[in-house]
Amino acid sequence: MATTIRSDIRSAMHMATSTFLSLSPKVLNSSRAAARSALPFSSSISSSFTAATTTSLSLRGFSSTNSVSDAVLKAPELPSICTADELHYVSVSSSDWKLALWRYHPSPQAPQRNHPLLLLSGVGTNAIGYDLSPEASYARYMSSQGFDTWILEVRGAGLSVQGVNSKEIKQSANKISEQMEAASRSATNGALPVGLQSTNGPGAMAEPDTFSVKGKESENVVVKGDMMRIATVWDESRLVMKLTETFMRLSERLSGFLSEGQSKIMFAKLSDQISKLLADSPFSERFNEIREKLSSLLETRQNSSIASQIRDLSQRIVNIIEEGQRSVSPPLFDLQERFASTIEDFQKQLDLIVKYDWDFDNYLEEDVPAAMEYIRSKSRPKDGKLLAIGHSMGGILLYATLSRCGRDSRLAAIVTLASSLDYTSSESTLKLLLPLADPAQALSVPVVPLGALLAAAYPLSSRPPYVLSWLNDLISAEDMMHPELFEKLVMNNFCTIPAKLLLQLTTAFREGGLHDRSGTFSYKDHIHKSNIPILALAGDRDLICPPEAVLDTVKLIPEHLVTYKVFGEPGGPHYAHYDLVGGRLAVEQVYPRVIQFLARHDST
């Protein structure tokens, strides 16, 4: 079983690479533009990463944001995918992200509560898991019990947007909503979304005596006969420019996005790819000489002289490729096209590294504090505190907040659903990801498009011959979720995950448990310093966060502050990872237990 799952996971990682490298030019051009706008030749981004390590351990020391939102959308302005009463957006300091907050107003018939309630989702998920339907909605249930309920979508999740002003937020949110629904429909019908469809099918090839040159705005210019020489000159200039830009970005180490070691790894990868194009040819030795000079230059501080030398060396590489193109040697046939494709794919990887450049600590130190401060400004609790529920990584964020902030967390009480700071003693299936969690792998596959992968796998897990049926057990136990809600969860709830985030989360599966990005702060070592009441819930058939993993964290908390409960019986029903949130019995068994706990600590 473990071997099969590991093989499927490795296949998924390869699928992730090919998926993102086959995205439509329009999508990647827009992401590249956003990436470049975030790449001034300065150390501002790098310094913002390290600033958090020197701040106060109080929650207020993590982040600050304006108390005025960028936008508040209400019906009928709400995006179709959003089922909340309101959709709020809040800015994050030192970032251009606008985080989405789904708000559910408390029922006027319910008891009046003293604290608002924040819901945090798991890794690579959005708000939909907390509001699958009116009958299976954590958010609606909590608001019906009188809580002003908010669901946070962290950066990169759901309807959160990047790099837009307040006037563009509504348009961006609607566009994301439409894309999510379209992707769901396409996957259900067995078709890939337009942006992921291959353009290399029948009919896509040019006529034998013509070739296409990609120009601006991804338009194709068809060139025939005597025009080939002119087009080659134009294309050569473009290749020199792109190659120079690529080396310059590596020289600057993407302004803090890559460490020096990572920059060397990326340069080596690109050089190896070019070397393969020239393998067993007389041009290989010439390229290796240029490679050594470039390697030396990339380690030198950037200035105008270095930039000029990098451009000259880029020109020499392109010249080699051009000579190879004219060669009669069969291995060098179509060399220019393959070289251009290599550079294009490499730039896409750099763009993805920049676009998806955040980890767990960015959520902890920036996103969650910004959301909490904003909710306090709108709900105005008298003591300035919030109640919070976190599922999976959402619960880990709450534990980490208590570890970091101690007695100054600004939380009245928390509920964690299938969460732990240390998975080492458990048999969590996520341990199978550990062999893939190394920096070089993260650079090769900068992101894992979890949503696209699960949507693509859904037909194989839910229909004969059920090749990937084991995926269902990771999400929900047998007969615990209505088929339509299970399909909605798989198709709409999952997002793209940065490899950088996964790398930090995998420390929870190693000795000492989850650590901060520097590796010097173990969150489990400080959880005992908190004085906040905790309800920790587990599912008896949870393969992702088994009960023993939940219990390992519970044991670290002072006994008088924590309540531990495992849902599920030996003879059934059983609870898997998502059944605590949207299972058919959650509204009868889980939700009341949570309300009882929250109500008791809301009055204090």
Side-chain angles (χ1 to χ4, degrees):
M1 174 69 172
T3 303
T4 301
I5 296 176
R6 185 180 290 110
S7 176
D8 288 340
I9 290 174
R10 289 186 181 278
S11 298
M13 296 294 279
H14 289 298
M15 181 179 175
T17 307
S18 59
T19 296
F20 270 79
L21 294 183
S22 64
L23 284 169
S24 65
K26 186 173 182 181
V27 173
L28 281 159
N29 283 343
S30 63
S31 66
R32 181 170 297 147
R36 285 174 181 163
S37 67
L39 276 175
F41 288 150
S42 68
S43 59
S44 59
I45 299 174
S46 177
S47 61
S48 70
F49 281 174
T50 58
T53 61
T54 59
T55 58
S56 164
L57 291 187
S58 72
L59 185 64
R60 285 163 289 189
F62 275 163
S63 174
S64 62
T65 182
N66 295 330
S67 60
V68 180
S69 70
D70 289 2
V72 178
L73 304 182
K74 303 178 182 180
E77 294 182 314
L78 289 172
S80 57
I81 202 77
C82 180
T83 50
D85 298 325
E86 297 175 355
L87 181 62
H88 293 240
Y89 280 90
V90 58
S91 298
V92 181
S93 62
S94 68
S95 169
D96 60 353
W97 279 99
K98 309 293 188 300
L99 307 181
L101 279 165
W102 298 34
R103 187 181 192 179
Y104 301 78
H105 293 298
S107 169
Q109 286 78 40
Q112 187 173 357
R113 306 296 184 180
N114 297 315
H115 300 98
L117 174 63
L118 171 63
L119 306 183
L120 298 177
S121 305
V123 61
T125 62
N126 55 40
I128 292 173
Y130 277 122
D131 193 10
L132 284 172
S133 74
E135 296 76 28
S137 172
Y138 234 107
R140 287 288 173 197
Y141 188 93
M142 297 301 157
S143 64
S144 73
Q145 299 297 310
F147 289 102
D148 185 10
T149 304
W150 303 72
I151 309 175
L152 169 64
E153 292 186 317
V154 293
R155 65 186 71 190
L159 298 176
S160 291
V161 295
Q162 184 180 23
V164 299
N165 59 43
S166 57
K167 294 181 180 179
E168 297 171 333
I169 283 180
K170 178 182 175 182
Q171 180 180 355
S172 298
N174 282 318
K175 185 176 180 180
I176 294 172
S177 178
E178 291 169 3
Q179 290 172 344
M180 291 171 65
E181 293 179 325
S184 177
R185 289 193 299 269
S186 298
T188 303
N189 295 331
L192 283 172
V194 175
L196 300 182
Q197 290 175 355
S198 172
T199 58
N200 298 323
M205 296 178 66
E207 299 175 20
D209 60 342
T210 69
F211 71 95
S212 296
V213 179
K214 277 190 173 182
K216 293 181 179 180
E217 302 300 326
S218 301
E219 294 176 354
N220 287 330
V221 180
V222 179
V223 186
K224 297 195 176 193
D226 294 336
M227 294 296 292
M228 185 175 292
R229 183 173 179 276
I230 298 175
T232 302
V233 173
W234 180 87
D235 198 47
E236 175 188 321
S237 175
R238 177 171 172 268
L239 283 174
V240 172
M241 179 183 67
K242 292 180 68 174
L243 192 56
T244 302
E245 177 190 1
T246 299
F247 288 138
M248 292 280 284
R249 293 174 76 186
L250 287 175
S251 178
E252 280 290 326
R253 302 192 187 99
L254 277 67
S255 296
F257 288 93
L258 293 177
S259 67
E260 182 177 351
Q262 290 172 327
S263 183
K264 290 180 179 179
I265 291 174
M266 292 301 286
F267 174 70
K269 284 181 176 291
L270 176 59
S271 299
D272 289 344
Q273 290 168 6
I274 297 175
S275 291
K276 289 179 182 178
L277 296 178
L278 300 169
D280 301 323
S281 77
F283 305 104
S284 180
E285 186 175 344
R286 287 170 57 188
F287 171 72
N288 287 333
E289 292 176 3
I290 298 174
R291 175 178 182 168
E292 292 180 7
K293 293 179 180 179
L294 272 171
S295 179
S296 176
L297 285 175
L298 295 182
E299 297 178 8
T300 306
R301 188 172 181 83
Q302 187 67 259
N303 56 49
S304 58
S305 174
I306 297 298
S308 176
Q309 292 180 64
I310 289 176
R311 191 191 185 287
D312 290 342
L313 290 172
S314 299
Q315 177 70 64
R316 289 173 60 182
I317 292 175
V318 173
N319 289 344
I320 291 175
I321 298 299
E322 185 177 313
E323 289 182 49
Q325 179 72 35
R326 294 197 296 266
S327 171
V328 296
S329 177
L332 300 186
F333 177 74
D334 219 14
L335 183 59
Q336 279 183 318
E337 182 179 342
R338 288 185 287 139
F339 176 71
S341 177
T342 298
I343 301 303
E344 183 75 18
D345 288 350
F346 187 78
Q347 284 198 331
K348 289 176 184 177
Q349 283 191 308
L350 294 184
D351 291 340
L352 288 171
I353 290 172
V354 174
K355 184 175 176 63
Y356 291 90
D357 185 72
W358 64 85
D359 56 18
F360 178 85
D361 284 358
N362 288 115
Y363 291 155
L364 175 67
E365 298 165 358
E366 299 171 21
D367 294 14
V368 174
M372 290 178 62
E373 184 175 336
Y374 179 80
I375 293 170
R376 281 195 296 269
S377 72
K378 295 299 179 182
S379 297
R380 299 182 181 278
K382 292 181 180 179
D383 61 0
K385 295 182 178 181
L386 279 68
L387 297 166
I389 299 174
H391 174 246
S392 196
M393 187 191 72
I396 299 175
L397 281 167
L398 293 177
Y399 280 142
T401 298
L402 299 185
S403 296
R404 278 287 196 185
C405 302
R407 297 173 178 268
D408 193 21
S409 66
R410 310 292 291 277
L411 291 165
I414 69 167
V415 178
T416 63
L417 312 171
S419 305
S420 178
L421 292 171
D422 189 348
Y423 291 74
T424 53
S425 67
S426 74
E427 295 300 321
S428 169
T429 54
L430 294 186
K431 283 186 176 181
L432 299 175
L433 290 173
L434 283 177
L436 305 174
D438 65 82
Q441 180 70 40
L443 293 174
S444 297
V445 187
V447 295
V448 177
L450 182 62
L453 293 175
L454 287 178
Y458 178 71
L460 299 176
S461 66
S462 59
R463 303 168 192 168
Y466 305 103
V467 178
L468 298 178
S469 59
W470 56 268
L471 282 172
N472 296 348
D473 295 333
L474 295 181
I475 298 173
S476 177
E478 188 176 0
D479 296 329
M480 279 298 284
M481 193 173 288
H482 191 282
E484 290 184 5
L485 296 185
F486 183 84
E487 181 175 334
K488 181 179 180 180
L489 184 72
V490 171
M491 294 298 184
N492 293 118
N493 186 56
F494 297 94
C495 314
T496 296
I497 308 173
K500 188 173 182 178
L501 169 60
L502 289 179
L503 283 175
Q504 185 175 357
L505 288 176
T506 56
T507 63
F509 298 86
R510 297 192 174 98
E511 185 178 356
L514 182 69
H515 281 68
D516 67 353
R517 72 168 65 94
S518 71
T520 60
F521 186 92
S522 172
Y523 291 105
K524 63 178 283 188
D525 291 346
H526 300 269
I527 188 68
H528 68 279
K529 298 177 182 178
S530 171
N531 63 343
I532 304 303
I534 299 169
L535 173 63
L537 303 182
D540 67 327
R541 291 287 178 87
D542 192 335
L543 302 177
I544 293 176
C545 186
E548 56 267 26
V550 177
L551 185 58
D552 279 349
T553 298
V554 167
K555 291 177 180 178
L556 302 173
I557 302 166
E559 190 173 346
H560 69 282
L561 290 174
V562 65
T563 303
Y564 171 64
K565 166 70 177 175
V566 179
F567 282 91
E569 302 295 336
H574 300 292
Y575 284 77
H577 199 59
Y578 267 91
D579 294 326
L580 293 171
V581 179
R584 62 181 177 85
L585 295 180
V587 69
E588 301 173 12
Q589 298 184 0
V590 182
Y591 297 0
R593 184 64 178 263
V594 172
I595 283 293
Q596 183 183 23
F597 174 82
L598 293 178
R600 183 166 69 250
H601 296 287
D602 179 63
S603 59
T604 57

